[in-house]
């Protein structure tokens, strides 16, 4: 077990990794000798050793709630029962989890839960998977010998979820998820004795993340509004898979009946979903059959093509097929966002000596300080946002958010927002180095670089003040554990390679837990598998991208392809984990492997390529059907496998930062709302969102726009048409522009995310 310590040395922030050996203890539970680590709770040790202790309010991924008292156990030498969910045993403890007194107490608790609980199991959405049903039977509650006067508690519609307080057992799991995990803080307990309920204090916002609160409800009190009364749990077939949208690759379970996905669930005890995967499951390419004429035309297009353009929404196996086609026929492979990320990580690795960053999500949640830069955290990477929120709630972490635009959605966790000039990211990172690497032992080459940085020039270029940097430095002193999260603003920056090298110095020398979050979809997988090119040449074939001939998984191209919910394969998550995709819905058309076979690249099935993914990039020669997809009783993720670490050549040479090109006038920032990531989520009828250009009154004045005006402008040679709306939460002259609704043009918008507003016809 390792702890990262930050300490003061000559006024600078430094880190030190200290190896702390965990203290081993031995306890006896129900006569079973159990080895454990001091600091684990009785319940954790019991679960680790397959000893059953009943719970109603316990949720592994949050701090102990301790409201149900079902988990009480006896410890020899201790008077009275203790709560196993929160008590930590000492070496030699003898614990009993089952006896007549404990059984009686648990039975009485269940009787209290069942008082006035509506007898509507036949129509309740939780029936068949309800903890209250299960434990009522388990503890033999066959009747009630007491009663209490009931109160009227009407059902409340909260948007994506509905709440029935009459069914609520006040376990508080939903509140804890809302506060500790997703961070929307929309739910709280409204105390009133027997009349206590859960209250939505931000009902107007309709937080999609409330789906994560509903996922942990043990009864039918908090349910998905659209799923309500549509199917019984036992009628649904469960297909485990992985999120195809946000890039986190977290587990999803598609629940299906009669060829239709009714809902998406997950291992909610341990994992949490992004809103896109929770609700954006209706993106299959429907009613497709094999069009032989279109297929022959596709083969001709491939034979005549010079370049293949494709989006991030493909599997690792499809990426490998494209790479093999390149090797056979000499195509240029163009995937703009993945290429920018590939170049960024190549430069990053030149400093660290490894092909990818070493940072992990779990380490973020355990950090006492987190720096976030180059991304709109809540929208770009909701799973990362959850972990930053955990650090804030559990560790009271200092969260420094560095971005030109303040983000109201994370203001409850951000302790310092540092705004900088658009385009000045290189100067901002250099400023961080002058603070965080000062007096740290580094190589001679790096020391010369850091010592030679002109702080006044960097401050002037970025418009950050010395006081802001000093406030940040002081906030990081004596913090245990430090993480940094960077995102897509940096990858297409004109100075991205130099920025990557400077950030890598923080991982290598300052001990930061750094995560370079890839663009959404499977950008990291593509970057690891394909030899990507910078520019297309000649005739083009596109895969989910507009081209001379287009393959498309959402019905807008010349030849249909299966969506990621309709095929087997793998993705690479930003935890560097290869995770499986499974077929949830049928598909009757051609697949990319059919084209590859017709062109002489022979594999019977697409998943035959799973074992051929490049081991030189850390993949393992594992058959698709041998990939695990489970969590153990302690919540350890056994899904797919983690990439092996790959060593690369080191080159620490770093260029002096250049003064950035100024962005005058109204500025556009390409950013999708939290539940959208690509044209696939744009296809979802469950995620209908207005794609408006959102800006402040200052932006409106600068751009000569009024609320409700229609504006046309150019982005990367793509014409965008938007209705402009004033958003009072925004400041300055930067407007937010979504791209999820642009179909085959979505992937073409891939350059630096900030650009000057170029109105058409003005």
């Amino acid at each position: 077990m390792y702890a990262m310590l930050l300490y003061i040395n000559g006024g600078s922030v430094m880190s030190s990794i200290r190896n702390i050996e965990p203290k081993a203890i031995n306890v006896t539970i129900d006569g079973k000798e159990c080895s454990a680590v001091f600091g684990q709770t009785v319940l954790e040790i019991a679960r680790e050793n397959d000893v059953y202790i009943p719970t109603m309010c316990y949720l592994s991924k949050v701090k102990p709630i301790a409201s149900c008292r079902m988990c009480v156990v006896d410890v020899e030498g201790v008077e009275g029962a203790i709560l196993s969910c929160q008590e930590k045993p000492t070496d030699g403890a003898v614990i009993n989890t089952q006896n007549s007194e404990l059984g009686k107490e648990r039975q009485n608790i269940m009787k209290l839960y069942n008082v006035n609980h509506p007898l509507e199991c036949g129509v309740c959405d939780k029936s068949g998977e309800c903890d209250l049903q299960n434990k009522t039977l388990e503890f033999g509650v066959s009747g009630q010998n007491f009663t209490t006067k009931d109160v009227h508690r009407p059902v409340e519609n909260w948007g994506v979820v509905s709440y029935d307080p009459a069914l609520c057992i006040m376990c508080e799991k939903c509140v804890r998820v809302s506060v500790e995990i997703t961070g929307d803080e929309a739910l709280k307990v409204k105390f009133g004795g027997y009349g206590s309920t859960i209250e939505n204090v931000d009902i107007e916002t309709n937080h999609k993340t409330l789906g994560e609160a509903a996922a942990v409800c043990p009864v039918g009190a908090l349910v998905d509004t659209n799923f309500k009364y549509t199917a019984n749990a036992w009628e649904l077939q469960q297909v485990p898979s992985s999120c195809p949208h946000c890039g986190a690759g977290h587990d999803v379970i598609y629940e299906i009946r009669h060829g239709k996905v009714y809902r998406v669930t997950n291992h909610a005890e341990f994992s949490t979903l992004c809103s896109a995967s929770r609700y954006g499951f209706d993106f299959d390419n429907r009613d497709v059959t094999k069009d032989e004429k279109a297929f022959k035309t596709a083969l001709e297009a491939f034979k005549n093509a010079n370049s293949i353009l494709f989006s991030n929404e493909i599997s690792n196996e499809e990426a490998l097929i494209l790479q093999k086609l390149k090797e056979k026929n000499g195509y240029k492979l163009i995937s703009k966002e993945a290429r920018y990320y590939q170049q960024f990580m190549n430069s990053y690795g030149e400093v660290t000596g490894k092909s990818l960053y070493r940072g992990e999500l779990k380490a973020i949640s355990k950090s006492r300080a987190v720096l976030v830069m180059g991304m709109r955290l809540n929208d770009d990477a909701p799973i990362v946002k959850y972990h930053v929120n955990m650090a804030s709630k559990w560790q009271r972490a200092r969260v420094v958010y560095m971005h030109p635009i303040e983000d109201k959605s994370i203001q409850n966790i951000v302790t310092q927002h540092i705004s900088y000039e658009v385009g000045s990211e290189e100067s901002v990172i250099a400023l961080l180095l002058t603070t965080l690497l000062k007096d740290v032992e580094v190589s001679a080459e790096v020391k010369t670089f850091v010592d030679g940085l002109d702080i006044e020039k960097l401050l002037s270029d970025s418009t950050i003040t010395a006081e802001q940097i000093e406030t940040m430095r002081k906030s990081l002193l004596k913090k245990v554990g430090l993480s940094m999260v960077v995102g897509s603003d940096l990858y297409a920056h004109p100075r991205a390679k130099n920025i990557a090298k400077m950030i890598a110095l923080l991982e290598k020398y300052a001990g930061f837990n750094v995560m370079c979050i890839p663009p959404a979809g499977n950008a990291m997988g593509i970057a690891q598998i394909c030899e990507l090119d910078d520019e297309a040449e000649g005739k083009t074939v596109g895969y989910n991208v507009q081209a001379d001939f287009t393959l498309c998984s959402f019905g807008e191209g010349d030849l249909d392809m299966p969506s990621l919910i309709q095929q087997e394969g793998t993705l690479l998550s930003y935890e560097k984990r290869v995770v499986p995709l499974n077929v949830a819905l049928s598909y009757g058309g051609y697949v990319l492997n059919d084209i590859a076979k017709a062109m002489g690249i022979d594999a019977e099935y697409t998943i035959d390529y799973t074992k051929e993914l490049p081991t030189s990039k850390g993949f393992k020669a594992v058959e698709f059907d041998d990939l695990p997809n489970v969590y153990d009783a302690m919540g350890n993720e056994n899904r797919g496998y983690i990439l092996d670490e790959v060593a690369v050549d080191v080159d620490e040479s770093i260029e002096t930062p250049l003064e950035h090109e100024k962005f005058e006038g109204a500025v556009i920032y390409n950013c999708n709302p939290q539940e959208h990531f690509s044209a696939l989520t744009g296809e979802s009828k469950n995620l209908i969102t207005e794609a408006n250009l959102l800006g402040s009154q200052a932006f409106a004045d600068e751009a000569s726009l009024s609320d409700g005006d229609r504006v046309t402008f150019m982005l990367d040679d793509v014409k965008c048409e938007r209705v402009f709306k004033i958003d009072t939460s925004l400041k300055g002259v930067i407007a937010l522009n979504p791209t999820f609704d642009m179909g085959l043009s979505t992937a073409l918008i891939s350059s630096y995310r900030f650009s000057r507003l170029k109105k058409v016809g003005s």
Side-chain angles (χ1 to χ4, degrees):
M1 183 180 296
Y2 293 87
M4 186 191 305
L5 303 182
L6 296 179
Y7 58 93
I8 305 175
N9 185 337
S12 69
V13 179
M14 299 178 62
S15 67
S16 173
I17 305 295
R18 186 175 72 188
N19 190 0
I20 301 176
E21 289 298 329
K23 180 183 177 182
I25 61 172
N26 293 292
V27 301
T28 303
I29 305 180
D30 293 345
K32 183 176 184 178
E33 294 288 336
C34 303
S35 298
V37 174
F38 182 74
Q40 286 184 292
T41 65
V42 172
L43 182 59
E44 288 173 334
I45 298 169
R47 288 188 171 186
E48 207 168 57
N49 289 274
D50 296 322
V51 177
Y52 172 65
I53 299 175
T55 66
M56 283 296 286
C57 74
Y58 187 76
L59 186 62
S60 297
K61 64 186 180 184
V62 302
K63 295 301 181 184
I65 301 171
S67 69
C68 75
R69 298 192 62 83
M70 288 289 289
C71 70
V72 288
V73 298
D74 287 334
V75 180
E76 290 187 10
V78 177
E79 185 177 349
I82 68 164
L83 298 180
S84 64
C85 68
Q86 64 181 17
E87 296 300 331
K88 301 168 184 176
T90 56
D91 189 36
V94 178
I95 301 160
N96 296 303
T97 72
Q98 307 291 336
N99 58 45
S100 59
E101 289 186 7
L102 292 174
K104 188 67 175 176
E105 181 165 355
R106 290 166 180 160
Q107 186 184 62
N108 286 334
I109 291 170
M110 292 311 301
K111 287 181 178 179
L112 287 170
Y113 276 137
N114 279 286
V115 169
N116 290 334
H117 192 88
L119 294 175
E120 55 184 49
C121 296
V123 295
C124 180
D125 287 301
K126 203 67 175 181
S127 187
E129 54 183 11
C130 174
D131 277 2
L132 191 66
Q133 277 183 337
N134 295 339
K135 289 187 173 61
T136 296
L137 292 172
E138 180 183 345
F139 293 102
V141 181
S142 57
Q144 293 285 152
N145 53 9
F146 56 88
T147 139
T148 186
K149 185 178 180 180
D150 205 357
V151 294
H152 177 59
R153 288 174 282 191
V155 175
E156 301 175 27
N157 187 317
W158 293 346
V160 294
V161 298
S162 297
Y163 175 60
D164 187 343
L167 296 174
C168 184
I169 63 171
M170 295 304 295
C171 68
E172 300 180 36
K173 286 183 180 181
C174 60
V175 175
R176 290 300 189 91
V177 168
S178 175
V179 173
E180 294 182 26
I181 306 295
T182 63
D184 56 52
E185 298 183 3
L187 303 183
K188 72 174 185 178
V189 176
K190 183 178 181 181
F191 293 100
Y194 178 68
S196 295
T197 62
I198 303 301
E199 183 180 14
N200 187 341
V201 296
D202 192 16
I203 194 169
E204 292 182 1
T205 303
N206 187 21
H207 292 282
K208 298 290 194 299
T209 47
L210 287 181
E212 305 318 299
V216 301
C217 181
V219 292
L222 196 60
V223 298
D224 186 306
T225 301
N226 288 334
F227 176 73
K228 199 172 182 180
Y229 305 139
T230 61
N232 295 306
W234 59 85
E235 298 175 313
L236 300 172
Q237 175 192 359
Q238 294 188 335
V239 178
S241 194
S242 302
C243 175
H245 298 309
C246 72
H250 49 76
D251 72 301
V252 299
I253 301 172
Y254 296 110
E255 300 208 351
I256 302 160
R257 185 177 69 165
H258 304 319
K260 174 185 175 181
V261 177
Y262 274 70
R263 65 177 178 180
V264 168
T265 57
N266 63 311
H267 296 90
E269 179 77 16
F270 311 116
S271 68
T272 310
L273 305 189
C274 69
S275 299
S277 59
R278 176 69 70 188
Y279 298 111
F281 51 77
D282 55 333
F283 62 97
D284 55 306
N285 200 2
R286 302 173 184 85
D287 304 321
V288 175
T289 57
K290 290 190 174 181
D291 185 336
E292 293 185 10
K293 182 179 179 180
F295 183 72
K296 289 179 181 178
T297 305
L299 293 180
E300 285 300 313
F302 269 89
K303 290 175 183 177
N304 296 325
N306 306 98
S307 303
I308 301 175
L309 286 62
F310 56 105
S311 72
N312 298 337
E313 287 68 49
I314 66 171
S315 68
N316 291 327
E317 290 73 16
E318 290 178 304
L320 183 57
I321 289 171
L322 293 177
Q323 176 61 26
K324 288 181 176 292
L325 287 171
K326 174 190 174 97
E327 293 167 0
K328 181 177 177 64
N329 298 316
Y331 297 123
K332 297 286 187 181
L333 289 187
I334 309 298
S335 184
K336 287 285 190 178
E337 283 191 314
R339 175 57 173 162
Y340 287 131
Y341 186 73
Q342 184 181 67
Q343 292 176 314
F344 189 91
M345 292 314 303
N346 287 344
S347 297
Y348 190 94
E350 288 178 2
V351 171
T352 63
K354 305 296 178 183
S355 60
L356 291 170
Y357 53 83
R358 292 180 177 174
E360 299 176 345
L361 287 174
K362 186 175 290 187
I364 292 176
S365 66
K366 294 180 179 179
S367 296
R368 295 294 181 89
V370 184
L371 304 182
V372 181
M373 181 180 171
M375 65 192 308
R376 194 163 169 87
L377 179 64
N378 192 57
D379 299 326
D380 292 352
I383 302 298
V384 179
K385 184 264 180 127
Y386 297 166
H387 285 78
V388 175
N389 181 64
M390 293 177 211
S392 174
K393 298 303 192 306
W394 297 343
Q395 317 297 341
R396 300 182 66 186
R398 300 286 299 180
V399 178
V400 180
Y401 181 57
M402 309 183 78
H403 198 269
I405 310 171
E406 190 172 5
D407 188 352
K408 181 182 178 182
S409 65
I410 58 173
Q411 65 184 10
N412 59 328
I413 61 173
V414 171
T415 55
Q416 184 184 11
H417 172 235
I418 298 179
S419 178
Y420 54 81
E421 192 76 12
V422 171
S424 69
E425 287 86 348
E426 186 181 26
S427 292
V428 176
I429 296 295
L431 273 175
L432 290 179
L433 296 187
T434 64
T435 300
L436 302 176
L437 291 186
K438 184 181 179 182
D439 299 325
V440 173
E441 186 175 340
V442 297
S443 68
E445 187 173 15
V446 173
K447 180 173 173 49
T448 300
F449 168 74
V450 174
D451 289 346
L453 290 171
D454 187 334
I455 295 177
E456 292 301 322
K457 185 176 180 180
L458 298 174
L459 291 170
S460 174
D461 187 55
S462 64
T463 68
I464 295 175
T465 66
E467 290 75 20
Q468 288 176 306
I469 294 296
E470 178 62 12
T471 298
M472 180 196 71
R473 185 191 69 82
K474 288 180 177 178
S475 73
L476 301 182
L477 295 177
K478 299 182 181 180
K479 293 296 182 183
V480 179
L482 188 64
S483 290
M484 183 172 190
V485 182
V486 299
S488 294
D489 293 8
L490 307 182
Y491 308 145
H493 191 281
R495 300 282 292 171
K497 295 179 181 179
N498 212 46
I499 291 171
K501 284 192 164 188
M502 288 193 287
I503 294 172
L505 293 176
L506 296 176
E507 177 183 302
K508 183 171 184 177
Y509 291 111
F512 276 59
N513 174 68
V514 177
M515 292 190 73
C516 304
I517 305 302
N522 194 31
M524 180 181 278
I526 295 167
Q528 290 296 104
I529 294 166
C530 295
E531 297 173 12
L532 297 172
D533 299 287
D534 293 326
E535 299 295 337
E537 295 179 357
K539 292 187 176 181
T540 58
V541 170
Y543 191 171
N544 290 337
V545 180
Q546 189 65 56
D548 295 327
F549 186 92
T550 302
L551 314 176
C552 185
S553 65
F554 45 90
E556 295 184 9
D558 302 300
L559 180 67
D560 284 302
M561 288 282 114
S563 194
L564 290 174
I565 199 173
Q566 297 171 293
Q567 57 176 299
E568 290 180 309
T570 60
L571 303 171
L572 182 59
S573 76
Y574 48 62
E575 283 275 78
K576 296 149 288 185
R577 182 181 292 274
V578 179
V579 293
L581 292 167
N582 286 303
V583 175
L585 297 174
S586 62
Y587 171 77
Y590 290 100
V591 299
L592 184 63
N593 191 48
D594 292 326
I595 294 173
K597 285 193 291 185
M599 299 187 71
I601 300 174
D602 195 22
E604 185 65 22
Y605 302 106
T606 301
I607 56 171
D608 291 340
Y609 290 105
T610 304
K611 63 180 181 297
E612 295 184 25
L613 295 172
T615 55
S616 61
K617 295 299 181 70
F619 292 93
K620 300 177 182 179
V622 179
E623 296 275 1
F624 176 81
D625 289 336
D626 292 333
L627 295 173
N629 196 7
V630 297
Y631 286 83
D632 66 20
M634 291 300 295
N636 296 310
E637 187 175 7
N638 296 311
R639 301 176 58 242
Y641 61 83
I642 299 289
L643 284 188
D644 290 331
E645 201 170 66
V646 176
V648 297
D649 294 335
V650 173
D651 175 11
E652 288 190 339
S653 60
I654 301 177
E655 299 175 5
T656 301
L658 300 179
E659 185 175 345
H660 78 282
E661 181 183 355
K662 304 299 182 184
F663 281 69
E664 305 290 347
V667 175
I668 298 293
Y669 179 61
N670 296 322
C671 178
N672 287 316
Q674 186 190 37
E675 63 272 15
H676 281 288
F677 294 96
S678 68
L680 294 187
T681 58
E683 288 296 303
S684 172
K685 301 298 186 293
N686 297 328
L687 295 175
I688 294 177
T689 307
E690 289 188 354
N692 296 323
L693 181 67
L694 302 178
S696 67
Q697 184 62 55
F699 175 90
D701 294 341
E702 184 69 33
S704 301
L705 291 172
S706 298
D707 188 74
D709 283 355
R710 183 171 294 275
V711 58
T712 303
F713 53 94
M714 300 299 295
L715 287 172
D716 292 346
D717 297 324
V718 175
K719 182 183 290 188
C720 300
E721 295 183 0
R722 292 279 181 254
V723 172
F724 173 70
K725 292 288 185 180
I726 290 178
D727 186 332
T728 56
S729 71
L730 295 173
K731 302 175 183 177
V733 294
I734 305 173
L736 305 180
N737 177 59
T739 60
F740 68 86
D741 65 321
M742 300 187 67
L744 293 171
S745 296
T746 297
L748 296 174
I749 301 174
S750 55
S751 61
Y752 182 54
R753 292 175 73 180
F754 294 92
S755 61
R756 297 178 183 85
L757 176 63
K758 301 174 184 176
K759 289 197 286 187
V760 175
S762 61

